[in-house]
Amino acid sequence: MKNKITVSAPGKLMLFGEHAVIYGKPCIVTAVDQRIRVRVEKIGGSSITVNAPEVKVKDYSLKISDLGKIEYPKEIKFVLKAVENFFKKYQVKSGLNLETKSGFSSLFGFGSSSAVTVSTIKALSEIFDIEVGNKLLFDICYKTVLEVQGVGSGFDLAAAIWGGTIYFVGGGKKILPLKTKELPLVVGYTGIKADTATLVRKVAGLHKNNKKKVDEIFDSIEKLVRAAKIALENTDYPKLGELMDENQKLLYKLSVSTPELDNLIGSARQTGAFGAKLSGAGGGDCMIALADKSKTAKVKKAIEKSGGVVLDVKFNAEGVRIEK
Ligand code: PMV
């Protein structure tokens, strides 16, 4: 049994199916090469100490007996909820030192909270020598995320655990790794930080007030996600581009796009991308464009000219892993 371990997990980018996935529909997500690392050390005593330099948390400490009883600082809520849930589920406890290290800014919606939750639970399972398979790891993490955040489909956890590109049905009813080749995607950041929970609630409001119309939109999204799965497996970029445009139209109807996103998406299309759409909850954050390699430079330039920041990320990244 080890006393200390470092585990890392990747962030994610939603390719197709956001929002509808909350309502039990499928989506497609890919893991990105921006990782979060969590180092966990078992120590004596009865305190848990967390250091998370990216979010400016230094030597935050609480007693094990306070787990579940006090309000956690919001910057490290996921880490502490993960420890609380793990201790409760497996009836274990120990003093701990935890340290997180992020390879990406939590400003971009790359899923830092899901990656940190997955890394923490995986690290705990290793140092307490408890075998936790991927599906069980998903379930514990999903419970944790729902307790902290209240909403979410869990797609980002699946990406953090399995890595690669995944066909995922809301709540983890289906988690299907896809065989895909390289994806020539360009990612543009609007510069606007978006709050996923707020946007999910906004769509829930629309759904409540206009159930029939919104359900039809979700059904259309489901159809296109299924088509995208086939197009991805066949590396059919023109078809994928078409489906991205279709998905964007439906997201626009759900009122989650913004003028800034529309602007970046429009400029990518005008410079010859196969297709483009927002990625994630919307309200700002990132867009993605699929473009032939010969057009990538032009598309990137157009996004930047329209006020976006091009982010350099690789897709299909490896899932959760133990670091040396
Ligand atoms: O903004 P992101 O990248 O966390 O994506 C949210 C995607 C939603 O479908 C809106 C929410 C979810 O948990 O599936």
Side-chain angles (χ1 to χ4, degrees):
M1 210 190 306
K2 300 178 192 89
N3 266 335
K4 54 184 169 199
I5 196 158
T6 300
V7 171
S8 77
K12 54 81 186 116
L13 257 189
M14 181 70 102
L15 299 182
F16 293 95
E18 45 274 89
H19 288 289
V21 66
I22 296 266
Y23 296 79
K25 304 293 191 192
C27 73
I28 298 175
V29 55
T30 190
V32 300
D33 67 339
Q34 319 264 322
R35 305 183 78 84
I36 287 229
R37 266 161 237 274
V38 177
R39 182 178 178 278
V40 182
E41 184 182 6
K42 238 179 175 176
I43 51 168
S46 57
S47 294
I48 294 174
T49 302
V50 184
N51 276 288
E54 315 72 42
V55 286
K56 301 194 169 52
V57 172
K58 194 167 185 305
D59 292 331
Y60 174 85
S61 199
L62 84 172
K63 293 255 166 291
I64 297 173
S65 55
D66 283 338
L67 281 171
K69 293 198 190 116
I70 59 166
E71 181 81 14
Y72 304 139
K74 70 172 189 325
E75 296 83 1
I76 49 171
K77 253 187 183 168
F78 289 91
V79 173
L80 290 171
K81 196 60 159 175
V83 173
E84 176 195 327
N85 282 344
F86 189 88
F87 280 10
K88 214 172 359 176
K89 181 168 175 68
Y90 293 107
Q91 294 292 306
V92 290
K93 60 180 175 186
S94 164
L96 297 174
N97 267 335
L98 291 121
E99 190 170 343
T100 67
K101 198 169 168 207
S102 172
F104 55 94
S105 164
S106 63
L107 272 186
F108 313 133
F110 283 162
S112 49
S113 47
S114 49
V116 87
T117 306
V118 166
S119 300
T120 304
I121 302 268
K122 179 75 178 174
L124 291 172
S125 73
E126 290 289 324
I127 57 170
F128 283 96
D129 210 12
I130 296 170
E131 198 166 326
V132 178
N134 278 357
K135 183 58 173 60
L136 183 54
L137 179 59
F138 176 87
D139 291 340
I140 305 169
C141 292
Y142 191 41
K143 177 180 178 326
T144 304
V145 166
L146 284 184
E147 282 170 6
V148 175
Q149 203 168 263
V151 289
S153 65
F155 79 108
D156 41 4
L157 296 169
I161 295 171
W162 279 269
T165 300
I166 299 170
Y167 181 86
F168 175 88
V169 177
K173 284 187 207 80
K174 200 182 243 178
I175 299 169
L176 202 69
L178 300 178
K179 283 199 187 71
T180 52
K181 296 226 180 72
E182 202 189 344
L183 280 174
L185 283 173
V186 176
V187 184
Y189 179 59
T190 55
I192 299 162
K193 170 125 177 92
D195 178 49
T196 301
T198 306
L199 286 140
V200 169
R201 278 196 291 271
K202 182 175 177 183
V203 173
L206 274 185
H207 187 244
K208 200 171 156 211
N209 292 331
N210 208 338
K211 197 165 178 313
K212 189 164 174 289
K213 189 178 150 224
V214 176
D215 275 337
E216 272 167 23
I217 295 177
F218 291 157
D219 288 343
S220 304
I221 293 178
E222 177 173 19
K223 260 192 220 132
L224 78 83
V225 171
R226 287 178 197 273
K229 173 178 174 286
I230 298 167
L232 256 177
E233 285 170 335
N234 294 335
T235 325
D236 185 346
Y237 296 147
K239 181 71 190 170
L240 278 171
E242 204 180 285
L243 293 165
M244 284 168 85
D245 289 348
E246 217 176 289
N247 199 163
Q248 175 60 21
K249 253 187 231 156
L250 295 162
L251 288 163
Y252 185 84
K253 282 192 187 163
L254 289 176
S255 309
V256 294
S257 199
T258 63
E260 293 82 4
L261 280 165
D262 296 341
N263 196 15
L264 302 190
I265 290 165
S267 64
R269 284 183 191 148
Q270 273 158 25
T271 35
F274 291 117
K277 66 183 277 291
L278 67 85
S279 169
D285 207 8
C286 291
M287 51 73 70
I288 49 176
L290 186 72
D292 188 79
K293 281 246 168 74
S294 62
K295 297 203 170 126
T296 308
K298 253 179 146 180
V299 170
K300 283 185 178 169
K301 229 181 181 168
I303 290 175
E304 273 165 359
K305 243 180 131 183
S306 305
V309 178
V310 172
L311 304 179
D312 189 22
V313 286
K314 293 201 172 59
F315 312 95
N316 261 328
E318 192 187 345
V320 65
R321 69 172 180 234
I322 291 153
E323 299 286 331
K324 292 270 154 36

